[in-house]
């Protein structure tokens, strides 16, 4: 059997997906309980969010199983969810939206995959690319484009802030690119929790307008839900901006519901893509999301449970790191506004992210090497020394797992330094 060029690319596993396979294999046997997984991207199972979704799904099943799971639906999204979204965003932000402004898909990653196929790649005007304005960013983006070299990342400016550090958008480097088909950025971001500030967002929007390309803002962690990370303002409508939202981090990751909002010229192709590929997103979950948007349950759970949960986890992890990490190791935490992760930089020549992964695995701890959040960092001599000295810790684990995992991390760093 011979795969096509695109088939070969899509049949392979990205670096991070290979690591996830490793995690699954190691934790599948009798020793599963001995492993401390600080690499997981799954949101925490917060009781209030769990109970809300369980109740909403049960209500829909009881009242209208035939109209949801028992029938096909509209590719753009179910009428009840489209209507609920339009009403919710009008109530929350004053947006005036119609069905032509909204497209629902089976997860925001699928929405972004559709966008990459629509707005990047070979065309009559030449080859255009998906440009990540500032890496590191969500590693799942790197598998979106079907064409080899179809996605590129712009390295950030690395700024030290006392005993922390922060990435800044390099607008000059971004503006030098002549091959932008679309821009895609998570804000607040994975892995750093960093949100675009108003000046950065304005610069990206201005560039999108100048080049007449869409700017996709993935707000899977931001406002109005799940508000896991702080933001520097509420979402703003613009003809060149497409906002992507998701129910995953609000507690429903397994049901794959994501949606995009923007100008009809961007949304109509997305809706058609859904029709031609997956037909439509799961209707049962769409109906449940419509309910919790309409009756205010989601806002209440976000305010009272989800946002406080991750704020407390962040404080807890930061305190542990300050207490346990070796004092003679130059490590820095990215200045975050929240989020599901801690992003660390160990600024020493002896440190390597994959070596840390391997050594921690010997101690039955999983983290994620930093290089997987950059696009081809080893091909960039200026970026590789930084990208390979970073790693990500998840805050989804319970406090006992975080406590022991960070203790083993500190011990391993001491050993590596020696």
């Amino acid at each position: 059997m011979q795969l096509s060029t695109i088939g070969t690319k899509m049949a392979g596993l990205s670096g991070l997906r290979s690591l996830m396979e490793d995690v699954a294999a190691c934790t599948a046997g009798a020793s599963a309980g001995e492993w401390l997984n600080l690499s997981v991207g799954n949101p925490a199972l917060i009781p209030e969010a769990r109970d809300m979704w369980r109740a909403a799904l049960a209500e829909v099943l009881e009242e209208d199983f035939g109209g949801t799971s028992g029938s096909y639906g509209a590719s753009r999204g179910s009428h009840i969810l489209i209507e609920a979204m339009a009403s919710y965003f009008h109530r929350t932000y004053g947006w005036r939206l119609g069905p032509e402004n909204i497209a629902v898909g089976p997860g925001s990653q699928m929405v972004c995959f559709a966008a990459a196929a629509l707005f990047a790649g070979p065309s009559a005007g030449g080859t255009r690319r998906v440009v990540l304005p500032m890496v590191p960013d969500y590693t799942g983006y790197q598998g979106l484009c079907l064409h080899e070299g179809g996605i590129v990342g712009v390295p950030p400016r690395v700024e030290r802030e006392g005993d922390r550090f922060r990435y800044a958008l390099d607008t000059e480097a971004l503006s030098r690119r002549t091959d932008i088909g679309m821009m895609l950025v998570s804000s607040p971001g994975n892995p750093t929790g960093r949100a675009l500030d108003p000046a950065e967002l304005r610069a990206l929007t201005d560039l999108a307008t100048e080049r007449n390309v869409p700017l996709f803002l993935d707000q899977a962690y931001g406002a109005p839900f799940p508000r896991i990370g702080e933001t520097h303002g509420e979402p703003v409508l613009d003809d060149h901006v497409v906002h992507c939202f998701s129910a995953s981090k609000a507690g429903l990751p397994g049901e794959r519901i994501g949606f995009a909002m923007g100008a009809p010229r961007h949304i109509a192709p997305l809706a058609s893509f859904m029709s031609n590929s997956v037909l439509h997103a799961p209707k049962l979950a769409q109906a449940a999301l419509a309910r919790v948007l309409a009756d205010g349950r989601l806002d209440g759970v976000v305010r009272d449970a989800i946002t406080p949960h991750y704020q407390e986890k962040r404080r807890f992890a930061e305190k542990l790191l300050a207490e346990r990490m070796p004092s003679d190791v130059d490590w820095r935490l990215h200045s975050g506004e929240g989020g599901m992760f801690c992003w660390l930089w160990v600024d020493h020549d002896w440190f390597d992210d994959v070596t840390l992964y391997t050594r921690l695995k010997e101690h039955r701890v999983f983290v994620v090497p930093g290089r997987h959040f950059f696009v081809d960092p080893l091909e960039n001599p200026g970026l590789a020394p930084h990208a390979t000295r970073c790693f990500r810790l998840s805050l989804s684990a319970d406090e006992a797992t975080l406590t022991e995992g960070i203790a083993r991390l500190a011990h391993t760093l001491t050993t590596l330094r020696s």
Side-chain angles (χ1 to χ4, degrees):
M1 180 186 75
Q2 186 169 354
L3 294 173
S4 67
T5 302
I6 290 175
T8 301
K9 180 181 186 299
M10 298 305 289
L13 288 175
S14 66
L16 182 57
R17 294 304 174 194
S18 297
L19 294 183
M20 294 300 99
E21 292 286 320
D22 189 26
V23 172
C26 290
T27 57
S31 63
E34 302 173 13
W35 290 87
L36 305 176
N37 190 354
L38 301 184
S39 70
V40 65
N42 199 81
L45 190 62
I46 299 171
E48 293 88 345
R50 176 200 62 203
D51 294 345
M52 175 191 70
W53 289 116
R54 180 182 289 167
L57 288 163
E59 290 161 14
V60 174
L61 278 172
E62 178 67 26
E63 294 176 20
D64 192 20
F65 174 82
T68 53
S69 297
S71 64
Y72 290 118
S75 296
R76 181 182 294 276
S78 68
H79 172 74
I80 187 173
L81 180 56
I82 297 290
E83 194 173 72
M85 285 180 192
S87 176
Y88 177 85
F89 280 86
H90 177 68
R91 186 169 68 248
T92 306
Y93 299 128
W95 292 3
R96 294 189 179 279
L97 304 171
E100 69 276 8
N101 300 111
I102 303 170
V104 181
S108 60
Q109 185 159 332
M110 181 63 196
V111 172
C112 292
F113 177 82
L118 291 164
F119 302 112
S123 69
T127 298
R128 302 292 179 182
R129 291 178 171 83
V130 178
V131 176
L132 309 183
M134 184 174 64
V135 290
D137 209 334
Y138 175 48
T139 185
Y141 294 156
Q142 297 178 39
L144 294 181
C145 198
L146 295 172
H147 305 283
E148 198 64 37
I151 185 162
V152 292
V154 178
R157 290 184 286 109
V158 182
E159 300 177 342
R160 295 172 183 262
E161 297 183 335
D163 59 353
R164 299 201 178 192
F165 78 105
R166 184 178 180 82
Y167 296 123
L169 181 70
D170 190 340
T171 53
E172 291 184 6
L174 176 61
S175 64
R176 287 195 295 268
R177 297 209 66 94
T178 59
D179 56 354
I180 302 174
M182 62 173 279
M183 290 183 284
L184 173 60
V185 60
S186 63
S187 179
N190 172 1
T192 64
R194 186 195 190 286
L196 294 170
D197 64 37
E200 291 169 331
L201 180 55
R202 187 72 258 163
L204 291 179
T205 305
D206 288 347
L207 183 60
T209 303
E210 175 191 324
R211 303 292 177 86
N212 194 26
V213 298
L215 166 63
F216 277 73
L217 286 181
D218 186 351
Q219 302 186 90
Y221 300 88
F225 56 84
R227 290 190 186 270
I228 287 176
E230 292 181 28
T231 60
H232 298 296
E234 306 296 6
V236 177
L237 279 181
D238 185 279
D239 281 350
H240 286 85
V241 175
V242 180
H243 295 279
C244 296
F245 302 94
S246 170
S248 294
K249 306 307 183 294
L252 203 66
E255 297 305 317
R256 313 309 302 132
I257 296 295
F259 55 97
M261 292 182 166
R265 69 177 183 277
H266 298 134
I267 297 302
L270 286 172
S272 295
F273 191 101
M274 296 305 159
S275 178
N276 290 325
S277 57
V278 295
L279 192 57
H280 60 73
K283 287 183 64 183
L284 180 64
Q286 288 189 67
L289 176 57
R291 280 178 176 253
V292 299
L293 284 173
D295 63 19
R297 275 184 283 181
L298 180 56
D299 282 346
V301 167
V302 167
R303 181 187 63 245
D304 299 334
I306 296 177
T307 300
H309 175 89
Y310 286 104
Q311 287 176 338
E312 180 55 36
K313 276 294 185 69
R314 176 81 182 196
R315 286 192 289 265
F316 181 78
E318 287 185 9
K319 183 173 183 293
L320 280 176
L321 289 165
E323 293 172 350
R324 301 295 179 88
M325 292 285 276
S327 60
D328 54 355
V329 171
D330 184 7
W331 67 275
R332 294 170 188 270
L333 179 67
H334 188 279
S335 296
E337 295 87 2
M340 276 178 53
F341 311 102
C342 286
W343 180 250
L344 289 90
W345 172 28
V346 178
D347 192 19
H348 289 285
D349 290 342
W350 50 260
F351 182 83
D352 177 80
D353 58 338
V354 172
T355 301
L356 176 71
Y357 173 84
T358 303
R359 296 292 289 273
L360 277 174
K361 185 179 168 184
E362 294 172 4
H363 296 285
R364 297 186 181 273
V365 179
F366 284 114
V367 297
V368 184
R371 68 185 66 189
H372 298 302
F373 298 89
F374 298 82
V375 182
D376 298 325
L378 301 185
E379 296 180 9
N380 186 327
L383 183 60
H386 177 79
T388 56
R389 294 177 189 171
C390 296
F391 61 97
R392 190 190 79 178
L393 299 179
S394 172
L395 299 179
S396 295
D398 58 39
E399 292 187 357
T401 299
L402 278 171
T403 301
E404 180 59 25
I406 288 174
R408 295 184 198 181
L409 166 65
H411 172 75
T412 302
L413 282 174
T414 299
T415 304
L416 285 173
R417 180 205 61 209
S418 301

